[in-house]
Amino acid sequence: MKLSHFNFELPEELLAEYPSENRDESRLMVLNRKDQTIEHKMFKDIIDYFEEDDVMILNDTKVFPARLYGNKEKTGARIEVFLLRELNEEQRLWDVLVDPARKIRIGNKLYFGEGESLVAEVIDNTTSRGRTLRFLYDGSYRDFRVKLTELGETPLPKYIKREVEPEDEERYQTIFAKNEGAVAAPTAGLHFSRHLLKRLEIKGVKFADVTLHVGLGTFNPVEVEDLSKHKMDSEEIIIKKPTTEIINKAIKEKRRICAVGTTAMRSVESAVSSSGTLNEFDGWSNKFIFPPYDFSIANCMITNFHTPKSTLLMMASAFAGHEFIKKAYDEAVKEKYKFYSYGDAMLII
């Protein structure tokens, strides 16, 4: 398939600036692949589609406040620094993006916080916007991480034009987040409330945790018409033995196994055994899923509504079928569903 197959007209007003008032009261579109039907529900109605011993695969990564604002030495120019990943704990080295990048060269120092409480030096250029920073901090590593958290803000996606607000710290994080390392939320999981999780648990639905630390590469634009030539950034994935046991039992018993989000789906598809079961995994994956693709683990998927030409839309299309997704997205635009990170949800069964 070609990049142009994933283009569509998305009115700007359908990009969600805020989440729904209550997590589980966002809208839910249900696609039934067998019957080729579309239903319109509330997210909390999702419980009606699951039975005892069905499994939901949750990405338990936790978003850290990755966006910092500092000032360049001498000129005082305001610089945005987006922390991508830690390269070396002892040396306080980080892979970052800077904006505006043209002003930031090797050897420059950046100052953060009141009284310049944190200083970083640029030690390398990695890409046009990418830099390697060494943070100059004498305290313990724990104190350094606390300082980064204090100075950083919730890394809302750039399409959200408003300022970050206090509620974003809680709402741009799933309620099951526990392993810090993501710079963007696994957004399908944002719709789950504690009450809904408890109701699913009482019904007998099993939960299996995976960890995929979402990087900005997920949102990189695809710039080649031939999708086979697109390269995804690698992201860290951890799948432990208890998760493989829950999922492999469900595969054997032919249960409904639901990947909550594209990140959960990419995690399990990166760790498939030759016999079609799930292996333990601790490493990095740059797996890019686009049509046609045979899925091995999950037979059900929850995902948000994605933007045109995005790799996330391509995965949803591979799972639901390209023509069916096109029909569903036409319906979503017509019915004014909200798109992207704080938007509404889709259940594909």
Side-chain angles (χ1 to χ4, degrees), residues 13 24 26 83 119 125 144 156 161 167 184 249 261 282 293 308:
E13 65 269 19
D24 59 13
S26 55
L83 302 172
V119 183
N125 294 336
F144 168 65
L156 292 183
K161 304 297 184 211
E167 73 156 358
K249 182 171 183 280
D282 188 345
Y293 183 86

Side-chain angles (χ1 to χ4, degrees), residues 35 65 78 150 273 325-326:
D35 300 340
R78 189 172 192 249
E150 284 173 0
S273 73
I325 277 285
K326 273 177 67 176

